Amino acid sequence: MDRRDNYSPETLAVRAGQERSQFGEHSEALYLTSSFVFSSAAQAAARFSGEEEGNVYSRFTNPTVSVFQERLAALEGTEACIATGSGMSAILSLIMALCSSGDHVVASTGLFGATQQLLGTIMPRFGVTTSFVAQTDVGAWQAAIRPETRLLFLETPSNPLTEIADIAALADVAHVRGALLVVDNCFCTPILQRPLDLGADLVVHSATKFLDGQGRVLGGAVAGRRQLTDEVFKFLRTAGPALSPFNAWVLLKGLETLKIRLDAQSAKALELASWLEAHPKVARVYYPGLASHPQFELARRQQKSGGAIVSFVVNGGRAEAWKIVDSCRLLSITANLGDTRTTLTHPASTTHGRITPEQRSAAGIGENLLRIAVGLEAVEDLENDLDAGLSLI
Ligand SMILES: *Cc1c(COP(=O)(O)O)cnc(C)c1O
């Protein structure tokens, strides 16, 4: 299909990027092959040099992976996308492609734990340092920028407190100083938020979460203008953090239902968040779709809905929070999110368990905080499951 036709997201999600083979298959073909053959020595040479377009070797070219890349680029409203084997390898590839020793990054303190580790402890060994600033404080981002700052890196809404970063404002802050703004769009996906339309330069994804949506495979991606993604491609081609064609095929099936899932999961999350907010055993709810969220207006401008992640604080401490987790019979106790099955996490002892108690309290992650990634079950069943635990505290 032709991108110039200006199709809606739900149309792009099922059709963008597909090219049929000589067999005319209706569903996307899975090309489970490591390499490709050439018709002559001259063609092999032309393919390797890039003179002739076409597939060479699945570390960097595979038709099934290409369909996924095209489709995600179309959904993000941009030129190009490079797929990788996981969300973390997308982030690593982006940093390795765009930063050199001596460069500096400004990043949010609310980033995904592994991204914080990568920027805070691994990259400094290679001369790339990071200053961490508060997600919501535009002035702090501005003040942290240095002449050698190459990237501003954020994720919005943040995990688990759903703090919203002002993408348009931070894009301006970055561009005035010659830096690039990178947004991890994992929580919203292009269905709810298109950071590139708001001025960001690159989007990264953990496709493992909502893009797959059914908890099956790992995958990642970097999307943006070709001039930037070409640099990521050069790193991928040499270093090899490639997406498997099988996983790309599974992710294509996931993208087909992305819009209906995100719309349904967000609606259920709003209903559940409102119920939690009215519950006498719940002290506070963090959800960008509630009027009580400190950045409700910004979220409304920037996102199509509040998304599917809800966090809440229960009366009491760790014992009370764990009581709720342990009495659940329906919600899955796991740190994963973006699944059709609702998941429940106690961040202080799992996803944020490796940081110090001081860092945790600075980040606002108390022992009495729980995070829910809302799936597709009936809200009433989720409420009954949570109420069983809440009534015990
Ligand atoms: C899970 C996650 C990642 C890492 O993705 P993997 O696919 O697990 O490597 C990065 N960013 C965010 C926001 C995530 O939730």
Side-chain angles (χ1 to χ4, degrees):
M1 69 184 279
D2 196 326
R3 284 243 224 120
R4 283 168 305 181
D5 287 337
N6 253 332
Y7 288 113
S8 304
E10 55 262 59
T11 306
L12 296 174
V14 293
R15 291 198 178 261
Q18 191 176 2
E19 281 176 38
R20 293 188 175 85
S21 77
Q22 55 173 314
F23 303 109
E25 69 280 359
H26 197 195
S27 175
E28 302 83 355
L30 167 54
Y31 290 94
L32 210 50
T33 178
S34 52
S35 65
F36 297 83
V37 292
F38 311 109
S39 59
S40 65
Q43 190 187 43
R47 288 273 181 89
F48 267 83
S49 71
E51 225 167 280
E52 179 183 308
E53 267 199 42
N55 297 289
V56 176
Y57 187 61
S58 289
R59 186 188 326 115
F60 52 99
T61 53
N62 177 280
T64 311
V65 174
S66 299
V67 179
F68 172 68
Q69 294 179 154
E70 269 289 308
R71 191 167 294 176
L72 190 53
L75 286 167
E76 289 287 2
T78 191
E79 280 177 350
C81 171
I82 303 297
T84 57
S86 68
M88 287 320 301
S89 63
I91 294 168
L92 173 68
S93 302
L94 183 151
I95 296 166
M96 294 301 276
L98 298 176
C99 295
S100 303
S101 178
D103 284 349
H104 174 250
V105 177
V106 183
S108 161
T109 48
L111 286 179
F112 183 67
T115 313
Q116 285 191 48
Q117 291 282 328
L118 180 65
L119 286 169
T121 66
I122 297 179
M123 293 318 298
R125 286 168 37 213
F126 304 95
V128 177
T129 55
T130 296
S131 305
F132 290 96
V133 297
Q135 170 97 335
T136 56
D137 185 351
V138 175
W141 288 82
Q142 212 156 13
I145 297 180
R146 305 176 192 161
E148 62 274 21
T149 301
R150 180 87 173 110
L151 306 175
L152 270 58
F153 199 114
L154 62 86
E155 184 181 307
T156 180
S158 69
N159 177 18
L161 297 180
T162 71
E163 288 183 328
I164 311 293
D166 189 333
I167 298 173
L170 290 172
D172 287 343
V173 164
H175 297 155
V176 165
R177 302 288 296 273
L180 300 170
L181 177 65
V182 181
V183 176
D184 183 331
N185 203 23
C186 174
F187 272 35
C188 277
T189 84
I191 297 301
L192 302 185
Q193 167 174 282
R194 296 220 310 194
L196 302 168
D197 291 348
L198 297 166
D201 299 282
L202 286 165
V203 158
V204 295
H205 273 287
S206 168
T208 316
K209 310 294 167 53
F210 291 101
L211 301 189
D212 172 19
Q214 286 149 85
R216 300 166 295 192
V217 297
L218 275 87
V222 181
R225 52 186 188 273
R226 199 172 299 279
Q227 173 219 349
L228 294 173
T229 60
D230 275 354
E231 296 303 314
V232 179
F233 176 74
K234 284 183 214 160
F235 177 79
L236 173 102
R237 177 175 183 154
T238 308
L243 179 65
S244 137
F246 179 77
N247 287 7
W249 181 81
V250 172
L251 290 169
L252 283 166
K253 299 293 115 191
L255 285 184
E256 287 180 20
T257 57
L258 184 63
K259 181 161 170 31
I260 54 173
R261 280 188 285 111
L262 257 288
D263 286 349
Q265 286 170 258
S266 300
K268 286 169 192 285
L270 176 59
E271 208 180 321
L272 189 65
S274 309
W275 177 81
L276 284 166
E277 199 167 44
H279 200 289
K281 302 288 178 65
V282 174
R284 179 162 182 193
V285 179
Y286 298 91
Y287 182 67
L290 289 177
S292 59
H293 191 284
Q295 295 158 296
F296 177 65
E297 282 306 323
L298 173 60
R300 221 162 43 168
R301 278 205 305 279
Q302 193 166 277
Q303 307 175 192
K304 288 211 171 66
S305 74
I309 312 293
V310 180
S311 292
F312 64 104
V313 171
V314 295
N315 295 336
R318 173 179 286 208
E320 286 71 22
W322 278 23
K323 204 170 269 179
I324 292 162
V325 174
D326 289 339
S327 67
C328 277
R329 289 160 55 202
L330 184 62
L331 277 69
S332 311
I333 308 172
T334 171
N336 196 27
L337 59 92
D339 202 303
T340 53
R341 297 168 192 84
T342 300
T343 65
L344 179 63
T345 311
H346 180 246
S349 59
T350 58
T351 53
H352 294 70
R354 283 183 299 171
I355 58 175
T356 65
E358 293 73 38
Q359 284 172 314
R360 262 202 304 280
S361 70
I365 298 161
E367 290 289 342
N368 52 3
L369 179 77
L370 291 169
R371 186 197 73 193
I372 301 176
V374 180
L376 288 175
E377 302 93 336
V379 180
E380 194 189 353
D381 293 334
L382 300 175
E383 288 170 1
N384 288 338
D385 210 33
L386 289 164
D387 203 36
L390 284 164
S391 66
L392 298 176
I393 66 172

